[in-house]
Amino acid sequence: MDIQVYIALSLTLFTIGIVGVLVRRNAIIIFMCVELMLNAVNLLLVAFSKMHAASPAVKALPTYASDAQIFVFFIMVVAAAEVSVGLAIIVMMYRNIHSVDVNFLNRLKN
Amino acid sequence: MGSYITFPELLILLPLFAGFIVFFTKGEKNPKAIALISSLAVLGVSIASLFYADNTKYLTYNNANYIWLKYLGASYYVGLDGMGRMLTGLTAVSFPLIFIATYKNKFKSTATFYGLMLLSQAGLMGVFCAFDALTFYFFWELALIPVYFLCSIWGGERRIQSTFKFFVYTFVGSLLMLVGIIYVYLHTDARVFEDGTVATHSFSLASFYHVMLSAGEQQWLFVLFFVAFAIKMPIFPFHTWQPDVYDQSPTPVTMVMSGIMVKMGLFGVIRWLIPVLPLAVQQYKSIVIILSIIGVIYASCIAMVQDNVKRLVAYSSIAHIGLMCAAIFAMNQISVQGVMLQMFNHGINIIGLWIVIELIERQTGIKNISEMGGLAQKAPTLTILLVIVALANIALPLTNAFPGEFMMLTGLYKAKIWYAVAASVGVILSAVYTLNMIQKIFYGNTNTVTSMVKDISWNERLALIMIVCLIFFIGVYPQPIIDLTKASATYLLTSFK
Amino acid sequence: MNNIFQIVWLIPILPLIGFVINGLGRNFLSKTVTGFIGSGVVLGSFVLSLLVFMQVKAGNVMDLHYFNFIHLQDILTIGVDFKIDQLSSLFLLIITGVGFLIHVYSTAYMHEEEGKDFAKYFAYLNLFIFSMLLLVMGGNYLIMFIGWEGVGLCSYLLIGYWYKNNGFTDAAKKAFIMNRIGDVGFLLALFWLIAKIGTVQYDEVFSVASLSKLSSFDITGITLLMFVGATGKSAQIPLYTWLPDAMAGPTPVSALIHAATMVTAGIYMIARSNALFSLAHQTQAIISVIGLATALLAASIAIKQNDIKKILAYSTVSQLGFMFLALGTGNYVAAVFHVLTHAFFKALMFLGSGSVIHAMGGEQDIRKMGGLHKHMKITSITFFIGCLAIAGIPGFSGFFSKDEILAGAFNHGVVFYSIALFTALLTAFYMFRLYIITFTGKFRGSHDQEHHLHESPAAMTLPLIVLAILSIIGGYIGIPEVLGGHHELAAFLSPVVRSEEMSLSHNTEYLLMGLSTLLVLISIFFAWVTFKNYQSEGESKGLAKILENKWYVDELYEAVVTNPLRKIALFFNNIIERKGIDGMVNGVGKAVNYGSRQMRWLQSGQVGAYVLLMVIGMLLLFIIQLFL
């Protein structure tokens, strides 16, 4: 398939993620939207990696094709760690204010 | 340098260690006693150093040079010359006086209070001894920081506000000075240390004196340095922190600030500004003199209409310092020597004034002279002592301020007639506000508040009598101080030419 | 021969010792002891001064150097030096002699004061004598200046002696500040001298070498500034208004400080500097005009005053004006002569008025007196002698000195002479008005007061008698040639003070003397006729009212100097200081505060808002990266 399709899909996913973070107030959904954005980036990385693998430049630099894919694994690991921390925060938040609405989290304001 | 400890080191380290010890003492008596004893010890060292004043013979007793931050070209270099000896002497005399005079005052967390006071003393000593720009800056801040705490913890009702103002003012000044020091530093020659280390630039006073800067550079550097020192003195129009702070600080701190700290500015001008930037001084000196003299008249006028006696003394101090600043920039032997003499005298006199004012405020709880009156009936000894100190404040002959003021005005006259004429207006006005103050506080009939006042207690009497003795001794025979500081003044003027 | 010169320093130090003893011992020394110490030390100084005077008379003068006050190698050296010569030894005698009499008088006059106030009084008086001696003995202008300010201080302390009274302390303050204005003039003259010739030593200043270094502009400037100093201390226009107010002090103080000694310091200074002043003709002209104007103005005010001490005070101002007229006409010896005779008769009259006030229980208004001659003969007679002396009746001391001044004025122009003569007539008029209203006629006070009227004790009358004798014979040391004398005073002072030559024929002088004597007698007669049956005066109108209100000079100063100064000070304080500089400083603080308050809405606390901002920021970065 053409690279443009992947880019379009990735951008769509990313935008959905951003809009979700911006407009939703539920912390869990915001969190999921953040994950969506991460995965949009992952998708793009993999797509470009595949595209480069077909190019003649790879012959000169063999690791060129696999760099991005390694990166993706790295991101997935970090994302997993992030999930554990983030969910913990959300749980704590729920315990404290009995809600996961981020708009209630404005105690620093005053 | 030497294998034994030198005078400047003793002067700095004694109060420093005593300060740290005091921090860890408990109760009320111990800190006071230790502070007093250590300040007396410092006074002893300072007096002893006067007997070794001849730097051709006793150089090793008076200079200590340790390598410090050698890759930057900085060293811990402290030493005593004539002017330094005079000002450390002033510091050494003032602290025991302050401690004695306020011996009966109660301060919460006494240990911390006296510890900070002693730290400040160590800083002041360091400022007056430093022969290295970085050492100088270090001690400059060391002297100031305890004062911020002292004012903001033990001060009056509006202490936070006034301390904040003071802090911002002086800190802006300090930073400007730091920028200036660094700029000059970057233009100094390389420095070779005794152990063979070579630094590309040098912080030493000597290399600052030899630095080559163009007239344009000197001009803006002058502004940086001068603003820092002018804030510290303070002279018009950088003075507005002073009345607030003097009004709100605890009296011992006010005494330190007005008696000694304001001399840091004058000292800075003499040691670090004029010889380093001679071209700019040449260019700006008339502006500075005019500004200072405007300040003299302006502050005297304001002092005339002040009702708060602490602010009155603060403005009187601004007027006196303005005259000194003008006299420095008159740049002749008589005026500069007059300034040196007057720096000492002003410190002594104003501490005497604060002792009396503090006593009155503590007993009556009022600061406004319009609410006082008739104290002469209740406290005759206090009255006599204050009148003597106040007369010294207006430079009556045979008190210490007269020779100093006479020399400064003579020097100003030599620089330009109109300077002396305008500055003399301040002499008249000082009589107006000082006599007004004496009349309002001491003469007339007592009222309900002042009729409760008791006469002075032994410790204040002791401190004031010592001050009065100094006033008369220097007033009749000022020559020792003139001789002491002569070399510094001569050096300043030759370096300027 | 010089033994006496070796202990010359004792002359000022003795009163200083008295000051210290009385000052420190004020709480436990008895009044007798303090009085004894106070007067004793001055007597000691007087005896020494007499010995010194003998030496000087024999032709021995001496410059003494004790130690350096300010010494800067090659630039300025000012020593603590004394100069004992004809002029200073004469003043030493006046100060210690009259001073001693007044000390003795004070022991009785102040006896009702509390012990420690009594001691304080004597301490101040001794300190005054010390300062005054320093002033005249000084061998350079700086020592003179030290004494000069010192006497000002003592004057301040003694005027405000009754410190509970705010009016009195106001007067004290006024005296000090007006003096200080003059002092600044003097100081500037010293700076000028130092700047031009680098010394303030009399001998060096007056030497031909240094005088030749001064341009005529310098000399005029220096002498004018010195004269400004003299106007302050010697109460001349425009700085004379403090002297009448200074009468708030105890009466012996007025006699000593504000009549006999301190106020003559200005005359001493100019006489001492005659070498300079003789070269400055413009200054001399100004001095003579101011002296004459002061003499006339003060005499005119004295006519309408009713406070016995105020009359004497204005009379003093007027007489000082005469002395300045003499100085201005180059007639220095006459000025010094008049200082001498004036010290006798004016001290006499002040002490006499003190005696009267003492008897009247503190009353000073002559309208409430009258007929006192019956009750206090000695006071009355001595006072009468004083009046005759000041009026210039031949045979009394005032005649010789005043005549010399008038002759000098005539030499300078008829206008000067006629105004001076007119002033002299006014003097005779108001003095006899005072005498007649106070001592003759009927008593106008209350019964209580009349009951208490008594002659004062011996400690007060003795000084009166001594001074009365001196007021008569004091003039005979200066009998002019025209009356067959030799003017011994002029001969004595000639090494130090040289008057300008006068070119009057003997006949003219006889004529002048005759004329003035005749007119003075007429004036006295006129006073007698006017006030013989004095009852009380109605409301004054026109000129009389202006005179009664002292030409409204105090009000004028209030409007022209004091109030504007106060307004300026308030303007500085309220507008420039608070609103201007402090406002600017606080304004910087406020601006920062305001700015951060405006920035605060960014920190809304809403996570969403932060993210939105982050996204916007990122987009902006993209746009910048891609398109700019």
Side-chain angles (χ1 to χ4, degrees):
Chain A
M1 262 192 287
D2 209 2
I3 188 79
Q4 277 88 349
V5 182
Y6 291 102
I7 291 176
L9 176 61
S10 172
L11 274 182
T12 315
L13 282 176
F14 195 83
T15 313
I16 292 171
I18 284 185
V19 172
V21 168
L22 287 182
V23 300
R24 298 308 292 261
R25 297 188 300 183
N26 188 321
I28 294 173
I29 293 182
I30 290 174
F31 192 70
M32 282 160 64
C33 289
V34 171
E35 292 299 311
L36 199 61
M37 278 147 67
L38 274 175
N39 284 322
V41 175
N42 279 349
L43 179 65
L44 205 57
L45 280 168
V46 174
F48 277 117
S49 168
K50 178 86 179 123
M51 186 190 85
H52 282 303
S55 76
V58 174
K59 297 217 167 59
L61 245 140
T63 59
Y64 209 70
S66 55
D67 271 358
Q69 292 172 24
I70 291 168
F71 233 119
V72 168
F73 283 115
F74 200 73
I75 290 172
M76 286 165 111
V77 173
V78 171
E82 193 202 315
V83 167
S84 60
V85 176
L87 280 176
I89 290 174
I90 291 171
V91 170
M92 290 307 293
M93 177 183 163
Y94 185 76
R95 279 196 194 157
N96 275 310
I97 59 175
H98 300 290
S99 159
V100 288
D101 187 338
V102 287
N103 279 6
F104 287 113
L105 274 185
N106 56 1
R107 274 195 219 163
L108 277 178
K109 185 176 175 182
N110 293 316
Chain B
M1 204 187 215
S3 50
Y4 34 78
I5 193 153
T6 59
F7 284 120
E9 284 174 289
L10 268 181
L11 289 175
I12 296 166
L13 293 178
L14 264 178
L16 194 66
F17 284 130
F20 281 123
I21 292 169
V22 166
F23 272 125
F24 296 109
T25 51
K26 293 229 165 63
E28 204 180 300
K29 281 268 160 62
N30 292 343
K32 280 185 182 174
I34 295 174
L36 184 58
I37 290 168
S38 88
S39 66
L40 285 173
V42 172
L43 178 60
V45 173
S46 172
I47 291 171
S49 80
L50 293 177
F51 294 103
Y52 295 93
D54 188 353
N55 263 350
T56 52
K57 269 192 255 168
Y58 304 113
L59 189 66
T60 44
Y61 296 159
N62 289 326
N63 276 284
N65 194 351
Y66 299 103
I67 296 170
W68 179 51
L69 301 178
K70 60 182 173 187
Y71 298 106
L72 285 177
S75 61
Y76 175 78
Y77 185 8
V78 286
L80 282 174
D81 66 345
M83 179 174 53
R85 201 168 272 113
M86 185 270 291
L87 283 167
T88 49
L90 172 66
T91 316
V93 171
S94 302
F95 271 84
L97 284 176
I98 294 168
F99 288 146
I100 291 172
T102 57
Y103 201 76
K104 290 190 172 166
N105 293 22
K106 297 221 179 332
F107 300 104
K108 53 176 186 182
S109 40
T110 322
T112 324
F113 183 86
Y114 281 95
L116 286 170
M117 287 288 282
L118 288 172
L119 273 191
S120 180
Q121 188 187 14
L124 284 164
M125 289 291 188
V127 167
F128 298 138
C129 291
F131 278 161
D132 181 282
L134 209 60
T135 317
F136 173 72
Y137 187 79
F138 172 76
F139 282 118
W140 177 278
E141 293 297 331
L142 181 66
L144 288 177
I145 290 167
V147 171
Y148 300 139
F149 286 110
L150 287 167
C151 292
S152 56
I153 299 176
W154 286 272
E157 294 155 24
R158 288 175 38 246
R159 59 178 187 271
I160 300 294
Q161 205 183 343
S162 58
T163 311
F164 191 65
K165 197 166 172 182
F166 172 54
F167 177 79
V168 172
Y169 253 113
T170 48
F171 204 64
V172 166
S174 295
L175 288 180
L176 291 178
M177 181 169 78
L178 186 61
V179 172
I181 288 178
I182 290 169
Y183 189 89
V184 177
Y185 162 75
L186 291 175
H187 288 76
T188 51
D189 294 334
R191 179 177 193 177
V192 182
F193 286 94
E194 286 137 24
D195 65 351
T197 320
V198 180
T200 18
H201 298 297
S202 161
F203 274 113
S204 79
L205 183 66
S207 57
F208 267 50
Y209 281 7
H210 291 124
V211 73
M212 287 299 185
L213 293 165
S214 72
E217 286 170 314
Q218 292 203 6
Q219 275 176 27
W220 64 265
L221 280 171
F222 180 90
V223 174
L224 291 183
F225 277 101
F226 184 72
V227 168
F229 296 138
I231 287 173
K232 202 73 220 60
M233 284 188 229
I235 62 164
F236 176 84
F238 304 103
H239 63 276
T240 54
W241 60 270
Q242 201 189 34
D244 287 351
V245 175
Y246 284 8
D247 188 17
Q248 292 299 321
S249 307
T251 313
V253 183
T254 311
M255 290 176 193
V256 173
M257 282 202 284
S258 57
I260 314 168
M261 283 204 171
V262 296
K263 312 298 181 310
M264 282 162 63
L266 294 165
F267 171 85
V269 168
I270 294 176
R271 172 149 305 158
W272 291 98
L273 177 61
I274 293 173
V276 178
L277 308 168
L279 294 175
V281 171
Q282 190 69 44
Q283 195 165 8
Y284 282 121
K285 67 178 183 186
S286 36
I287 297 176
V288 173
I289 293 179
I290 290 168
L291 205 63
S292 306
I293 289 175
I294 290 175
V296 171
I297 297 171
Y298 174 81
S300 304
C301 278
I302 292 182
M304 281 195 314
V305 291
Q306 284 300 320
D307 196 29
N308 181 331
V309 64
K310 289 185 149 183
R311 296 181 76 90
L312 191 155
V313 174
Y315 280 109
S316 140
S317 175
I318 293 170
H320 284 115
I321 297 287
L323 183 59
M324 290 185 222
C325 183
I328 292 176
F329 282 88
M331 286 288 173
N332 53 54
Q333 185 87 28
I334 300 179
S335 69
V336 173
Q337 293 249 261
V339 174
M340 305 239 183
L341 183 55
Q342 194 68 351
M343 281 205 266
F344 191 85
N345 297 332
H346 177 261
I348 299 293
N349 295 349
I350 202 157
I351 288 175
L353 278 180
W354 286 125
I355 291 176
V356 179
I357 288 165
E358 200 265 347
L359 180 83
I360 295 169
E361 196 199 335
R362 183 151 41 87
Q363 294 204 3
T364 62
I366 46 178
K367 295 184 207 167
N368 291 348
I369 52 176
S370 57
E371 297 167 27
M372 299 182 196
L375 280 186
Q377 294 161 52
K378 289 286 158 192
T381 315
L382 178 71
T383 310
I384 293 166
L385 291 170
L386 174 92
V387 168
I388 295 172
V389 176
L391 293 174
N393 196 40
I394 59 177
L396 211 76
L398 297 187
T399 64
N400 55 359
F402 174 69
E405 203 158 279
F406 181 80
M407 287 163 79
M408 291 194 294
L409 287 171
T410 310
L412 276 176
Y413 190 97
K414 278 195 164 181
K416 217 172 238 160
I417 296 175
W418 296 113
Y419 295 160
V421 173
S424 313
V425 176
V427 174
I428 299 171
L429 294 178
S430 77
V432 176
Y433 61 72
T434 308
L435 295 186
N436 216 3
M437 179 183 83
I438 294 178
Q439 185 191 22
K440 292 260 176 63
I441 298 180
F442 290 101
Y443 298 156
N445 277 316
T446 51
N447 56 31
T448 46
V449 186
T450 53
S451 59
M452 310 291 286
V453 171
K454 290 188 193 67
D455 208 351
I456 188 166
S457 56
W458 64 267
N459 57 325
E460 287 142 343
R461 187 187 298 241
L462 181 66
L464 277 174
I465 286 175
M466 286 196 282
I467 288 173
V468 165
C469 288
L470 273 172
I471 285 176
F472 284 128
F473 178 73
I474 301 173
V476 176
Y477 191 54
Q479 197 60 36
I481 297 184
I482 295 177
D483 286 339
L484 183 65
T485 55
K486 188 156 91 188
S488 304
T490 318
Y491 181 77
L492 176 74
L493 295 169
T494 45
S495 76
F496 183 65
K497 278 168 194 137
Chain C
M1 108 195 179
N2 280 336
N3 286 336
I4 187 69
F5 285 127
Q6 277 163 14
I7 52 167
V8 139
W9 52 271
L10 265 179
I11 297 178
I13 292 299
L14 273 177
L16 187 67
I17 292 171
F19 160 70
V20 172
I21 294 176
N22 279 340
L24 293 180
R26 67 188 185 285
N27 287 329
F28 49 85
L29 292 178
S30 75
K31 282 195 219 175
T32 325
V33 176
T34 36
F36 189 75
I37 293 172
S39 322
V41 290
V42 182
L43 181 65
S45 294
F46 176 66
V47 172
L48 285 172
S49 305
L50 210 58
L51 294 174
V52 167
F53 184 77
M54 295 304 185
Q55 283 289 333
V56 173
K57 194 130 195 330
N60 300 316
V61 294
M62 192 76 175
D63 288 322
L64 297 135
H65 174 77
Y66 293 101
F67 58 89
N68 279 335
F69 183 63
I70 294 172
H71 171 71
L72 293 170
Q73 199 78 46
D74 301 330
I75 297 175
L76 180 65
T77 302
I78 299 174
V80 175
D81 302 338
F82 286 163
K83 186 173 183 62
I84 306 299
D85 63 0
Q86 287 79 0
L87 188 61
S88 55
S89 63
L90 182 71
F91 270 83
L92 284 185
L93 278 187
I94 300 176
I95 294 158
T96 53
V98 177
F100 171 64
L101 291 175
I102 290 171
H103 274 72
V104 172
Y105 179 94
S106 299
T107 53
Y109 187 83
M110 302 299 285
H111 210 261
E112 280 152 35
E113 294 290 314
E114 253 179 69
K116 62 179 183 202
D117 289 339
F118 188 77
K120 186 179 84 175
Y121 173 82
F122 272 94
Y124 289 166
L125 222 49
N126 280 342
L127 182 64
F128 170 78
I129 298 280
F130 163 72
S131 311
M132 194 68 208
L133 291 173
L134 215 54
L135 193 159
V136 295
M137 289 173 80
N140 58 49
Y141 280 114
L142 194 78
I143 301 299
M144 184 199 263
F145 184 77
I146 290 175
W148 186 270
E149 288 251 289
V151 291
L153 168 70
C154 297
S155 153
Y156 164 76
L157 292 171
L158 284 164
I159 297 169
Y161 171 74
W162 285 299
Y163 57 82
K164 286 177 204 169
N165 184 323
N166 273 331
F168 290 2
T169 49
D170 275 340
K173 203 170 68 177
K174 181 172 173 184
F176 192 88
I177 290 165
M178 285 203 141
N179 267 304
R180 206 119 221 267
I181 296 172
D183 294 350
V184 164
F186 190 3
L187 261 187
L188 288 171
L190 297 195
F191 300 151
W192 202 326
L193 277 176
I194 292 172
K196 287 289 168 184
I197 52 179
T199 178
V200 289
Q201 201 78 18
Y202 295 144
D203 297 337
E204 293 171 24
V205 173
F206 304 143
S207 70
V208 183
S210 52
L211 286 182
S212 63
K213 273 192 230 164
L214 296 169
S215 69
S216 67
F217 174 72
D218 289 335
I219 291 181
T220 310
I222 290 168
T223 50
L224 260 183
L225 285 170
M226 283 185 175
F227 177 61
V228 170
T231 57
K233 195 106 310 183
S234 298
Q236 296 298 294
I237 291 174
L239 299 176
Y240 72 94
T241 55
W242 65 269
L243 186 58
D245 288 6
M247 296 301 127
T251 309
V253 170
S254 312
L256 177 62
I257 300 186
H258 306 122
T261 52
M262 182 184 94
V263 289
T264 60
I267 288 110
Y268 170 78
M269 183 234 275
I270 294 179
R272 172 61 82 192
S273 327
N274 65 79
L276 274 176
F277 280 81
S278 295
L279 297 173
H281 297 294
Q282 287 101 322
T283 313
Q284 282 194 313
I286 292 170
I287 292 177
S288 46
V289 169
I290 292 217
L292 197 56
T294 312
L296 183 61
L297 181 85
S300 70
I301 295 172
I303 292 176
K304 286 302 288 180
Q305 297 302 307
N306 291 318
D307 182 322
I308 185 166
K309 287 181 74 182
K310 283 262 160 82
I311 299 174
L312 292 175
Y314 278 107
S315 156
T316 306
V317 176
S318 172
Q319 296 298 311
L320 291 167
F322 267 108
M323 297 175 207
F324 277 97
L325 171 65
L327 294 172
T329 50
N331 208 349
Y332 303 106
V333 173
V336 175
F337 190 16
H338 202 55
V339 166
L340 180 75
T341 57
H342 177 257
F344 296 147
F345 60 68
K346 191 50 70 62
L348 165 64
M349 284 193 282
F350 263 116
L351 294 185
S353 77
S355 176
V356 168
I357 295 166
H358 195 66
M360 294 285 297
E363 181 59 62
Q364 300 193 6
D365 193 334
I366 56 171
R367 285 172 298 191
K368 299 195 179 129
M369 299 174 185
L372 295 185
H373 179 74
K374 289 194 285 283
H375 303 281
M376 24 200 337
K377 292 236 160 47
I378 302 178
T379 308
S380 167
I381 291 167
T382 49
F383 202 95
F384 189 68
I385 293 172
C387 289
L388 291 176
I390 196 175
I393 301 297
F396 293 86
S397 62
F399 169 73
F400 299 104
S401 52
K402 190 175 275 183
D403 184 68
E404 217 175 312
I405 294 174
L406 288 178
F410 186 79
N411 197 32
H412 259 248
V414 182
V415 182
F416 276 90
Y417 175 74
S418 29
I419 298 175
L421 182 61
F422 177 64
T423 311
L425 301 185
L426 287 181
T427 309
F429 181 78
Y430 67 71
M431 284 321 302
F432 277 88
R433 166 178 178 263
L434 170 63
Y435 182 80
I436 293 161
I437 294 180
T438 312
F439 289 98
T440 66
K442 278 201 196 107
F443 187 71
R444 290 177 297 273
S446 66
H447 275 291
D448 255 7
Q449 284 172 324
E450 186 160 20
H451 190 68
H452 281 114
L453 284 178
H454 59 278
E455 183 55 279
S456 304
M460 286 165 73
T461 50
L462 271 179
L464 288 178
I465 294 168
V466 175
L467 284 169
I469 295 169
L470 286 171
S471 301
I472 299 171
I473 62 166
Y476 291 96
I477 59 163
I479 302 171
E481 249 173 84
V482 61
L483 292 177
H486 297 291
H487 209 314
E488 286 172 19
L489 185 69
F492 174 67
L493 289 176
S494 60
V496 197
V497 181
R498 278 172 295 270
S499 288
E500 284 165 23
E501 289 297 318
M502 269 197 275
S503 52
L504 293 179
S505 72
H506 281 193
N507 285 339
T508 327
E509 289 206 35
Y510 287 132
L511 188 69
L512 294 181
M513 282 180 198
L515 183 66
S516 65
T517 309
L518 183 69
L519 289 174
V520 162
L521 285 174
I522 292 172
S523 167
I524 293 171
F525 179 72
F526 185 58
W528 169 249
V529 171
T530 319
F531 297 111
K532 147 176 87 169
N533 296 318
Y534 181 83
Q535 281 305 322
S536 64
E537 291 164 49
E539 188 82 356
S540 10
K541 285 191 210 86
L543 184 63
K545 185 161 184 196
I546 295 175
L547 292 181
E548 204 165 278
N549 286 303
K550 306 151 196 164
W551 293 99
Y552 297 99
V553 173
D554 275 327
E555 286 79 1
L556 181 77
Y557 284 177
E558 184 83 2
V560 176
V561 182
T562 320
N563 278 340
L565 187 63
R566 206 181 151 67
K567 289 232 173 75
I568 290 173
L570 281 173
F571 171 76
F572 279 163
N573 187 37
N574 296 338
I575 309 294
I576 298 193
E577 180 79 359
R578 297 252 173 84
K579 301 224 170 90
I581 299 175
D582 219 18
M584 207 162 71
V585 172
N586 290 339
V588 172
K590 279 202 190 112
V592 171
N593 230 334
Y594 177 81
S596 38
R597 220 172 284 261
Q598 298 308 304
M599 296 290 278
R600 207 172 70 174
W601 66 267
L602 288 175
Q603 305 287 323
S604 61
Q606 304 290 340
V607 180
Y610 296 150
V611 179
L612 180 64
L613 279 175
M614 197 168 85
V615 172
I616 292 171
M618 265 168 24
L619 285 176
L620 277 176
L621 284 177
F622 270 122
I623 291 166
I624 289 168
Q625 180 69 28
L626 293 177
F627 302 106
L628 298 176

